[in-house]
Amino acid sequence: MTQEKWGQLRQRLLKTVGQNNFTTWIEPLEFHQLEDGIATFNVPTNFMGNYVSQNFADLILHELRNENSSINRLNFTVAANMSEKPRSMPAKPAAAPRPAPSSALNTAPLDRRFTFDSFVVGKPNELAHAAAKRVAEGGPVTFNPLFLYGGVGLGKTHLMHAIAWELQQTRPDLSVLYLSAEQFMYRFVQALRDRKMMDFKEIFRNVDVLMVDDVQFIAGKDSTQEEFFHTFNALVDQNRQIIISADRAPGEIKDLEDRVKSRLQCGLVVDLHPTDYELRLGILQSKVEQQSKNYPDLSIAPGVLEFLAHRISTNVRVLEGALTRLFAFASLVGREIDMDLTQDCLADVLRASERKITIEEIQRRVSEHYNIRLSDMIGPKRLRSYARPRQVAMYLSKHLTSRSLPEIGRRFGGRDHTTVMHGVRRIEELKVQDGQIAEDLELLRRALEA
Ligand code: ADP
Ligand code: MG
């Protein structure tokens, strides 16, 4: 075992534990030495050492033993020279997940940010949220399983953790187990190898609430599926609540046995729809509130959040990442977060999630909306009845495409970029003063984005 080997092993752990856990718990571990089969790691704090040894030790040991089978124990010590580094998540022992009923079972740690309080509810996720809330009450089991599905980054894991946190508060008597399907498989394989299947079955069949995240992972893995099926049935028979997530509906998961599919379908199946503009804006606003605690001096210019909500894809993770980067960048350069900074700082993200709205399309829609000819919108006439729609179209071009002001000017009959800027500003003012304009803009935006 060397430092370098540990570096490589860590990368494998990243895959298993996910980025958040990795950054918080695995990355700060420093390999110190290997002696008498004991691998020692330096950790910044005692709490961290305890937490890691309770929650990740068997995973780490498993990886280490693949490299060097003489390793049979792990030790985490606080090294004198390791100062406590500030971490994004405050590590407060009081709120750490309750250990599972048997010490043989280490639950996947819950992300403390994933609570119902921090989950923003909108049309696309209201059903999933309501169902999760119901399950989190811990009352009699009414639908089993609860099957949540939806695309990447739409909040499945967030909702599952929220259920677990809530149950810990309201029903501390229940034993709640959350893990990814991958971890389920890993434990199963380990139990097989160590001839501990009885223990494995015992643990899984004694939980009150079982949550398995990303169940599509076990598709095609026959013996894991088989075991999952038995676990599932045993729990359902005892009326224990099961919550499952996947990236698609049960029927659409390939290589999943029919009997597993149909069992998964027999509870409540709800999907998280792709986010819409309102939900994205709501999420951004709530994240800004949280971020502002870390960056009390930073301010955001009007329009920036709206712009991001328009322009960034449906994946909330990307949206959050963009915001985090904006705040970090703005605090580094000591500037307000305005449109210029946003465009600079997020050029790559914005390009990647570019909508295919073109200036031509905007011009066509706007001229239809105001009942004027396209040629009059682009042409030189300065009559108010042409100029206003023209400014509206410029404004929309600025906000819904990534074209620069000079480029927009060119498409509007070769106008100067200062003319475009003036038009955009004028509409920004009118949007606040004139309800009709605000309504027009909203209608047009919806039509263009549909
Ligand atoms: P999934 O498991 O569906 O891929 P996650 O639950 O990991 O997605 O969500 C990705 C990120 O987006 C997380 O940081 C989560 O907190 C955030 N997120 C998703 N939906 C919402 C929401 N409705 N409100 C607040 N944050 C959300
Ligand atoms: Mg997830």
Side-chain angles (χ1 to χ4, degrees), residues 153 155-158 178 213-214 245 317:
K156 301 180 294 292
T157 300
H158 189 135
Y178 165 88
D213 206 352
D214 289 319
S245 87
R317 202 170 289 136

Side-chain angles (χ1 to χ4, degrees), residues 3-19 22-23 26-27 63 182:
Q3 285 285 4
E4 195 189 349
K5 256 271 106 59
W6 166 238
Q8 292 162 11
L9 288 179
R10 270 205 323 206
Q11 288 313 303
R12 251 179 271 154
L13 288 165
L14 167 61
K15 280 225 229 110
T16 323
V17 303
Q19 185 67 57
F22 181 80
T23 317
I26 308 290
E27 208 169 24
E63 286 296 344
E182 194 175 358

Side-chain angles (χ1 to χ4, degrees), residues 189-200:
V189 170
Q190 198 182 35
L192 278 179
R193 197 192 46 212
D194 300 346
R195 303 208 167 78
K196 291 201 173 130
M197 273 317 286
M198 289 305 285
D199 293 355
F200 177 89

